[in-house]
Amino acid sequence: MARASGSLQRGTVVPDSIQGVCAIVLAAGEGRRYRERRDEDKLLVSSSGAIGAPPVLAETLSALTGMTERLLVVTRDDNLQLLAWLERQAGRFNAEILAVRTNGLGHSLAQAVAHRSARRGWLVALGDMPYVERDSIARLVAAIQPQRLMVPTYQGRRGNPRGIGADYLDRLLALEGDRGAQELFASTAVEEIEVDDPGVLQDIDRPEDRRIR
């Protein structure tokens, strides 16, 4: 169910480059590998060792704010700590919250696209990747079209976030379990966008994955 919304205000002028694109932030995992080391929600810990660094999820959302027509955060309906944080903070990012029961990443994504359609497509981001640069996001968003699958690469390695065109809606709705959209991106139809941004490869699975500053 949707717990809160941050829809665009009436009269807001949406740039052509972002019209018809919805960013989906997947934040419904359990973060087991992080919790094995520290009993904390990794999305709410500081994104770096710098004094006053924002939480991981805040940094992720900040990079995405204003980059697409809509911004949707998907989390578990039983993660009360994260939901409470989102309900306090979502307005800062003009983000909508979708709280779901899920059996994995793919199921979360299926529920997200069912909840929020998009004329051109979706930019699918991971909540635990706070270091992606806005320039990289802008390039991906500008390239999203209904028939396209887009992936950023850094030094030849594929990363995230990824662009999925609206023509793939039916395949997204059929997703189950934890594999996400990996099968889509095994296709030769995927278009790679090379970026000078190591952040597209850097997720936070363990405490030592956070940048020092």
Side-chain angles (χ1 to χ4, degrees), residues 163-174:
I164 302 177
D167 288 356
Y168 293 91
L169 174 60
D170 288 344
R171 293 182 65 179
L172 292 175
L173 291 173

Side-chain angles (χ1 to χ4, degrees), residues 10-213:
R10 185 172 296 179
T12 299
V13 177
V14 180
D16 290 344
S17 61
I18 71 173
Q19 283 185 4
V21 179
C22 175
I24 295 171
V25 179
L26 298 173
E30 297 184 6
R32 289 192 185 96
R33 280 179 285 185
Y34 197 99
R35 288 185 184 277
E36 286 173 359
R37 305 287 292 276
R38 293 184 186 171
D39 188 20
E40 298 175 305
D41 189 325
K42 65 179 180 179
L43 298 180
L44 297 177
V45 302
S46 296
S47 55
S48 76
I51 296 173
V56 168
L57 185 55
E59 196 82 340
T60 300
L61 293 176
S62 180
L64 290 163
T65 299
M67 304 299 282
T68 55
E69 187 171 5
R70 292 186 180 275
L71 175 57
L72 177 66
V73 185
V74 186
T75 190
R76 300 193 321 277
D77 63 3
D78 63 352
N79 190 342
L80 301 183
Q81 183 186 18
L82 185 58
L83 275 172
W85 183 90
L86 282 167
E87 287 169 355
R88 292 193 305 269
Q89 301 293 330
R92 291 175 48 205
F93 309 106
N94 198 28
E96 180 182 5
I97 307 163
L98 180 66
V100 301
R101 294 183 181 180
T102 178
N103 61 26
L105 192 70
H107 190 210
S108 298
L109 180 54
Q111 292 181 82
V113 299
H115 176 80
R116 182 58 65 198
S117 61
R119 178 175 53 80
R120 280 168 53 199
W122 301 268
L123 182 74
V124 180
L126 303 179
D128 65 351
M129 294 189 68
Y131 307 130
V132 181
E133 297 176 3
R134 284 175 66 87
D135 285 349
S136 303
I137 293 168
R139 289 184 61 191
L140 286 161
V141 171
I144 291 173
Q145 293 297 333
Q147 72 283 6
R148 287 181 171 177
L149 297 169
M150 317 297 304
V151 60
T153 62
Y154 175 71
Q155 296 184 353
R157 297 173 60 193
R158 288 184 173 186
N160 288 283
R162 298 188 174 192
I164 302 177
D167 288 356
Y168 293 91
L169 174 60
D170 288 344
R171 293 182 65 179
L172 292 175
L173 291 173
L175 292 175
E176 284 285 341
D178 205 37
R179 284 186 55 80
Q182 292 180 26
E183 291 184 4
L184 283 180
F185 285 90
S187 165
T188 56
V190 176
E191 299 180 44
E192 296 183 346
I193 295 181
E194 177 69 21
V195 295
D196 186 18
D197 178 7
V200 302
L201 303 179
Q202 295 176 322
D203 60 351
I204 294 177
D205 277 340
R206 301 174 179 85
E208 59 267 28
D209 294 333
R210 295 183 305 151
R211 291 181 177 176
I212 297 174
R213 60 183 62 155

